[in-house]
Amino acid sequence: MTSQATVAQPQIKSRLGAILRSTSGNFLEQFDFFLFGFYATAISKAFFPPGNDTNALLLTFTTFWLGALMRPVGAIFLGAYIDRIGRRKGLIVTLGIMAIGTVVITICPTYASIGIAAPIIVLIGRLLQGFSAGVELGGVSVYLFEISTPGNRGFYTSFQSASQQVAIFVAALLGYFLSEIMPADQVTAWGWRIPFFVGCIIVPFIFVLRRTLEETPAFLAMKHHPSPKEIFASAALNWKIIMLGMFMTAMTTVTFYFVTVYTPTFGKNVLKLSTADSLLVTLAVAVTNFIWNPVGGALSDRIGRKPVLITISVLALLTAYPALLWLTAAPTFGKMLAVEMLFSFYFGMYSGAMLGALVEIVPTHVRTTCFSLAFALAAALFGTFTPLASTWLIKETGDNASPGFWLMFAAASGLMATLAIYRGGKSIATRETAPAQA
């Protein structure tokens, strides 16, 4: 299989072009996800019953999380579809579903206009986005892995996550300019929809890019493309790898959603910093996330995935709560920037190594399904739960630094999973297949 894929590699005319086209859908997904988190307060006022701002915010983050619960469903069904018919066609389908969800949220009337139908419509939009996102990240990661050059798989695959940071940067920049040219009450009333409309406008351009995507040589070289029944059976058989992959990925998803989606709300509502300060920090996070992801991927290509994953997990486990305690004791823009830069480093380095590791440990013939399911479960149960968990922890404990415990839990999950995956110096994939090879 490997030799066949290697021979077929020249079929990819431009790897840079393939990276840009394949990751374009990631841009749209993360663009909308970030906007939902940043404008959570405005969305809560627009679509949920008035009277209790904290409860409305919790309902907003709950809706955000419920949409993520559709990710594992999308990973199973759309993942099987991609493993069956190809990476290119599957990524076009996921883009279409994602676009519909974005449009639904953008044009939904307010609670004041249509009552309880408003949050229901928004939830439907989030469910569609979650269903699509369940395989979008996995599909792109597998695509990048399969077009990579020998010895650079971690570096190539890291651009799945790096591309999302461009969306964070653009969304934060739009939000910053919006806050500068519009009064806060107008932004809360209707101005928050403007960036969502921008997302709708760019959909046709992303669709054109995806249409020109080439199929990967590795998929074309496969002698047998499994049926959905075979894919589901194989995924069930490899449940141990999927679960370990989920816990390994938890560190990535929790840290990412904290430093991007939750940071603006944390800065404004908890630290009482200005909207502009929160957005500037998020802009800086997007830039450093983009830098650290390929650095982490390239480093893991040179020294191995295991050392990078263990080192970053341990550092996060030891410093997450103390860093937030230092920040919340006397919040300033500079301290928030410093803490977020630290967490950005953890996220980028770990993510860059983790993506390549996860593709490597899942079975080749069901690569998209198993990768997507592991990632989707981590996002649903840990990552997208982060804004809700952080808000709830602060409310229940009265400790503004308490989200640090959630970050520590994620770091511990990543550490334990990594140790289990690479036990004895070999990855779980090697251990599981060794008897068959012998």
Side-chain angles (χ1 to χ4, degrees):
M1 181 73 65
T2 304
S3 61
Q4 290 173 323
T6 304
V7 172
Q9 284 286 354
Q11 292 180 26
I12 295 294
K13 298 174 184 177
S14 169
R15 287 189 173 83
L16 177 59
I19 290 173
L20 293 174
R21 288 191 290 271
S22 62
T23 58
S24 59
N26 274 342
F27 177 94
L28 177 63
E29 179 202 349
Q30 209 52 59
F31 183 81
D32 183 70
F33 269 47
F34 172 77
L35 290 176
F36 199 97
F38 176 68
Y39 290 111
T41 302
I43 290 173
S44 69
K45 295 180 184 299
F47 300 124
F48 294 93
N52 189 313
D53 290 344
T54 300
N55 285 342
L57 188 60
L58 284 170
L59 286 171
T60 301
F61 283 137
T62 300
T63 301
F64 183 80
W65 178 59
L66 287 174
L69 291 182
M70 283 296 289
R71 283 189 171 209
V73 180
I76 294 172
F77 290 98
L78 292 178
Y81 179 72
I82 291 178
D83 278 330
R84 176 65 179 168
I85 58 94
R87 319 307 187 201
R88 175 186 173 275
K89 292 180 181 178
L91 289 176
I92 293 174
V93 171
T94 62
L95 176 61
I97 298 172
M98 190 190 313
I100 293 172
T102 300
V103 172
V104 166
I105 294 174
T106 303
I107 65 175
C108 179
T110 63
Y111 184 88
S113 300
I114 60 174
I116 193 65
I120 293 175
I121 292 173
V122 170
L123 177 59
I124 291 172
R126 286 288 301 129
L127 292 177
L128 288 171
Q129 289 177 329
F131 184 72
S132 170
V135 79
E136 171 69 24
L137 300 182
V140 172
S141 297
V142 168
Y143 186 91
L144 293 174
F145 184 90
E146 291 183 352
I147 68 167
S148 63
T149 55
N152 294 295
R153 287 177 169 176
F155 177 71
Y156 270 77
T157 311
S158 71
F159 280 96
Q160 180 266 101
S161 182
S163 67
Q164 297 177 18
Q165 313 316 314
V166 179
I168 300 297
F169 183 85
V170 173
L173 196 62
L174 277 173
Y176 177 79
F177 282 119
L178 202 62
S179 67
E180 292 295 304
I181 64 176
M182 292 182 67
D185 58 339
Q186 287 187 19
V187 173
T188 301
W190 60 270
W192 63 270
R193 293 183 188 264
I194 295 175
F196 281 88
F197 274 113
V198 172
C200 294
I201 291 172
I202 65 175
V203 167
F205 299 100
I206 297 177
F207 184 77
V208 170
L209 288 175
R210 279 276 169 95
R211 289 271 295 176
T212 60
L213 202 62
E214 298 174 73
E215 186 54 81
T216 70
F219 182 82
L220 294 173
M222 290 175 63
K223 297 293 185 181
H224 172 68
H225 300 301
S227 67
K229 183 179 179 180
E230 291 174 315
I231 292 171
F232 297 149
S234 183
L237 186 65
N238 289 281
W239 67 270
K240 186 189 300 183
I241 293 177
I242 292 172
M243 295 306 293
L244 286 174
M246 175 191 73
F247 285 111
M248 179 175 68
T249 307
M251 169 65 181
T252 291
T253 59
V254 168
T255 310
F256 175 73
Y257 280 96
F258 186 88
V259 299
T260 56
V261 174
Y262 183 63
T263 285
T265 300
F266 186 64
K268 291 185 296 180
N269 293 5
V270 179
L271 303 180
K272 306 302 180 184
L273 299 177
S274 69
T275 298
D277 283 348
S278 298
L279 279 169
L280 286 174
V281 169
T282 308
L283 283 168
V285 164
V287 173
T288 53
N289 282 353
F290 182 85
I291 294 171
W292 291 125
N293 262 281
V295 170
L299 183 62
S300 72
D301 284 330
R302 301 298 176 267
I303 68 173
R305 319 289 185 216
K306 182 181 177 181
V308 178
L309 296 174
I310 289 178
T311 299
I312 298 300
S313 296
V314 170
L315 287 173
L317 183 62
L318 295 176
T319 63
Y321 181 76
L324 285 178
L325 190 63
W326 173 72
L327 168 61
T328 56
T332 65
F333 170 78
K335 290 173 71 173
M336 183 181 182
L337 181 63
V339 170
E340 294 287 340
M341 290 297 97
L342 176 65
F343 291 166
S344 171
F345 171 74
Y346 292 162
F347 160 71
M349 293 295 291
Y350 187 94
S351 176
M354 184 281 298
L355 291 169
L358 185 56
V359 180
E360 288 169 343
I361 67 171
V362 296
T364 303
H365 64 291
V366 287
R367 187 173 270 165
T368 306
T369 304
C370 290
F371 181 104
S372 298
L373 188 54
F375 205 107
L377 287 169
L381 300 180
F382 302 106
T384 51
F385 191 65
T386 296
L388 179 59
S390 299
T391 303
W392 182 85
L393 282 169
I394 292 171
K395 180 183 178 183
E396 293 299 315
T397 66
D399 180 3
N400 288 342
S402 58
F405 295 125
W406 183 244
L407 292 169
M408 291 171 64
F409 168 74
S413 297
L415 176 62
M416 298 304 292
T418 300
L419 292 173
I421 289 169
Y422 293 99
R423 189 175 72 249
K426 294 182 179 180
S427 75
I428 188 172
T430 303
R431 297 199 305 270
E432 294 287 335
T433 57
Q437 292 170 343

